[in-house]
Amino acid sequence: MSDLEELAAEAFVYGFPMVFNLDEVSRFTREGMGSLPAAPFNRFSHATDLAGPKDTFVSVNNDTVYSIAQIDLSGGPLVLSVPDTAGRYYVFQFVDAWTNNFAYVGRRATGTAAGTYLLTGPGWSGDVPAGATRIPVPTTVASLVGRWACEGRDDLAAVRDLQRATGLEPLDPGTPPPAGLPEPHHEVSGTELRFFEKLRTWMRAFPPSATDQDYQRRFAPLGLLDDGDPYAAPSPDLERALTAGYREGKERVEHATTHGSSPEQNGWRLTYDAFNYNLDFFETGTLDSAQWVIQDRATARTVRAASARAGLWGNHAYEAAYAMTWNDGDGDPLDGARSYTLRFGTTPPVDAFWSITMYDLPDYYLVDNAIDRYSIGDRTPGLHYDHDGSLTLHLQPERPTDPAAAANWLPTPPGRFRPVLRMYQPRPAVFDGSYVLSPITRK
């Protein structure tokens, strides 16, 4: 590759998380997603059910009911109010435009009593209302991703009551309408050039930390710092470099999702560091310590891209730890044409709950199945435990004939698939190596 092409590939990896993220932000405000209706900026979209195949979002969870708001602080601060959940697990995760998880409100972070939080944009100064906790937001636009633990359909009414009791209002009733996402130039055509035009536009609108802004200056030869419109009629050399860099950068991101530096255990990728790329913004509920911060910025940028691709809006592991695998215990790719078991001698150690969720490839979506079951875990009704307390799950396309196995059946989609183990409020044994995951074994 030429130097300019290599620079474009580097820019793709750097900018992919923000572009991918803000495309989703835009989709949520315009179209919604499956169980989540569209909602304008600064208004919650409350799901009325657990996520299913119609919720076409990368690695969406099937454990909790979502309440999601895309927030825009261009007009002024917002006030978030949360109800008393009486011990029920919930979390509101704050994600900036660059996909940094910079704050948490919920059972682990702030408890389950009612609370009030003032969300303020960059550069804001003013008085915080009595009784409110201020949460500075690094970028004017951000995502507020709420998850309510739900025990199943019979529990949905209680979750809906909590959703109705959750508020998001301007601090000043006279706040002007939010500005929203700036539109990239419409004259720019083609997937590759459109990507770089979005990156150029949104880099200017949502500047990251000062250190990252210094890093961005290296991309000036690509036109990413230009005030004008460098991609409507680029020079042939620039267009070739951007096209080649886009394709190479995309391959690097895809490769990083399956060949990153996460440790492996019996075929499982322990992606406990997957969301530790935030190096600059630590507000309510975050942990600013060496265990939870990737120290090398180059590594953090690659991890951030891979995490956005395979698990956008995922939590830090101290909130919810994720392990995932593309292969069985022998290293062979998981395939829906085969049948597997997963035996837990001891189920995952958590203070909330755990689950295994099934996703297809390459999209990481839930796939329709005959029993409408997309995850299985400690809250699944009717699980069959062996006499020694162990639990054997059956991952296969067809219902097992044995009743005990059928109770523990997680249907697999056609073709390649990737299950994810989620552990909400994991205990220290998850991280210190004293708890070991079992391999998925082919029958």
Side-chain angles (χ1 to χ4, degrees):
M1 300 183 72
S2 70
D3 289 346
L4 200 59
E5 290 170 347
E6 175 60 34
L7 188 64
E10 183 182 338
F12 179 93
V13 174
Y14 172 73
F16 170 79
M18 182 178 65
V19 173
F20 187 52
N21 175 47
L22 294 183
D23 278 342
E24 290 295 334
V25 168
S26 177
R27 177 164 76 120
F28 271 74
T29 60
R30 294 179 294 103
E31 304 168 14
M33 180 200 70
S35 61
L36 286 155
F41 279 104
N42 301 339
R43 186 179 301 172
F44 270 110
S45 172
H46 295 300
T48 57
D49 204 346
L50 293 167
K54 293 182 180 179
D55 297 280
T56 53
F57 190 86
V58 57
S59 299
V60 67
N61 90 61
N62 183 245
D63 301 312
T64 64
V65 178
Y66 283 101
S67 291
I68 293 180
Q70 309 304 334
I71 61 173
D72 183 341
L73 300 169
S74 58
L78 297 171
V79 177
L80 169 69
S81 56
V82 296
D84 188 335
T85 69
R88 178 190 295 264
Y89 177 86
Y90 84 100
V91 61
F92 281 96
Q93 168 199 7
F94 294 72
V95 189
D96 74 9
W98 292 89
T99 73
N100 294 306
N101 295 333
F102 64 90
Y104 293 94
V105 167
R107 191 172 88 168
R108 177 199 61 83
T110 56
T112 62
T116 303
Y117 302 89
L118 181 69
L119 316 183
T120 62
W124 180 84
S125 62
D127 295 326
V128 178
T133 298
R134 181 189 173 196
I135 299 180
V137 180
T139 52
T140 306
V141 165
S143 299
L144 184 51
V145 185
R147 301 170 174 88
W148 310 92
C150 182
E151 299 293 332
R153 295 263 156 76
D154 292 343
D155 197 28
L156 284 171
V159 170
R160 288 169 187 158
D161 287 343
L162 293 170
Q163 291 174 321
R164 283 191 286 268
T166 302
L168 186 64
E169 301 291 341
L171 175 63
D172 179 357
T175 296
L181 297 177
E183 286 288 332
H185 283 287
H186 294 290
E187 295 82 0
V188 178
S189 60
T191 300
E192 296 86 355
L193 293 181
R194 285 290 294 174
F195 171 87
F196 286 103
E197 172 59 14
K198 289 179 180 178
L199 179 56
R200 184 192 69 84
T201 302
W202 293 337
M203 274 174 45
R204 295 173 63 83
F206 310 113
S209 67
T211 302
D212 257 23
Q213 289 181 56
D214 289 341
Y215 173 76
Q216 288 178 357
R217 294 190 179 96
R218 65 187 290 102
F219 301 129
L222 300 173
L224 286 172
L225 306 186
D226 287 10
D227 292 332
D229 182 9
Y231 306 127
S235 69
D237 287 346
L238 179 58
E239 184 168 4
R240 278 193 298 270
L242 294 174
T243 300
Y246 175 96
R247 294 171 182 170
E248 173 63 22
K250 187 175 182 180
E251 288 183 8
R252 293 179 185 179
V253 171
E254 293 295 330
H255 185 268
T257 63
T258 55
H259 296 80
S261 59
S262 297
E264 294 194 16
Q265 189 179 84
N266 288 327
W268 291 92
R269 295 281 305 284
L270 307 182
T271 57
Y272 305 152
D273 291 332
F275 297 94
N276 293 351
Y277 49 78
N278 172 23
L279 310 182
D280 301 298
F281 306 107
F282 299 94
E283 305 300 340
T284 300
T286 57
L287 301 181
D288 182 7
S289 65
Q291 181 180 1
W292 302 111
V293 176
I294 297 171
Q295 300 300 317
D296 180 70
R297 286 185 179 267
T299 301
R301 287 190 286 269
T302 300
V303 170
R304 182 180 63 183
S307 298
R309 173 67 184 93
L312 185 66
W313 299 350
N315 291 289
H316 279 95
Y318 50 76
E319 183 69 45
Y322 309 112
M324 59 191 70
T325 183
W326 289 257
N327 302 314
D328 63 22
D330 293 325
D332 296 323
L334 295 169
D335 194 308
R338 305 181 183 118
S339 298
Y340 304 88
T341 60
L342 172 59
R343 181 182 179 276
F344 290 111
T346 302
T347 55
V350 295
D351 287 328
F353 54 91
W354 65 268
S355 71
I356 297 278
T357 308
M358 186 63 61
Y359 300 99
D360 71 354
L361 292 175
D363 296 318
Y364 306 113
Y365 291 164
L366 303 176
V367 179
D368 196 16
N369 62 70
I371 61 170
D372 197 30
R373 177 181 284 178
Y374 309 102
S375 65
I376 193 167
D378 56 359
R379 301 171 304 149
T380 302
L383 284 183
H384 175 82
Y385 289 82
D386 296 329
H387 67 278
D388 60 357
S390 64
L391 176 67
T392 301
L393 304 181
H394 296 262
L395 284 55
Q396 59 188 67
E398 303 297 333
R399 179 192 295 270
T401 55
D402 176 67
N408 297 357
W409 174 39
L410 181 59
T412 57
R416 296 284 309 281
F417 63 85
R418 183 207 63 173
V420 172
L421 168 64
R422 286 179 169 87
M423 295 169 279
Y424 292 82
Q425 288 191 252
R427 295 176 183 164
V430 171
F431 306 118
D432 66 19
S434 55
Y435 181 74
V436 178
L437 295 178
S438 301
I440 294 177
T441 303
R442 184 175 175 181
K443 290 185 179 181

